[in-house]
Amino acid sequence: MDLIERGNGPALVLIPGLQGRWEYLRPAVDALAQSFRVLTFSLDETVRLKPDTTETLDRYADAVAQAMTQDRERQGL
């Protein structure tokens, strides 16, 4: 996962919507980064495969957990 990190302060995980790309959220990321350390990422095709199923919701949750784990590892925690 390519984890994007911007700003300083309390961590905030920003999840892309159905479009799946963090770049579409860049204005929000930039604005939130003034007060938070924003962590975001692009969703891959496996997560966006079936947007109306519980399985996909689980994949979203897995992606968030992976982002948080990757951030902790970066910080040496």
Side-chain angles (χ1 to χ4, degrees):
M1 167 182 293
D2 186 20
L3 187 63
I4 308 303
E5 180 181 353
R6 300 286 190 272
N8 295 300
L12 173 73
V13 178
L14 188 60
I15 305 168
L18 292 177
Q19 81 282 0
R21 302 212 30 108
W22 84 267
E23 292 87 351
Y24 298 136
L25 298 173
R26 190 181 302 265
V29 169
D30 292 342
L32 290 167
Q34 294 178 27
S35 301
F36 298 94
R37 187 168 60 87
V38 180
L39 306 168
T40 192
F41 50 90
S42 291
L43 299 172
D44 64 18
E45 289 298 321
T46 61
V47 175
R48 294 185 285 136
L49 192 59
K50 299 176 185 175
D52 294 331
T53 66
T54 302
E55 179 182 336
T56 299
L57 185 57
D58 291 341
R59 289 182 182 175
Y60 276 111
D62 290 343
V64 173
Q66 183 180 354
M68 294 172 71
T69 298
Q70 188 172 335
D71 179 56
R72 283 192 302 271
E73 290 171 355
R74 268 198 216 174
Q75 295 182 50
L77 301 176

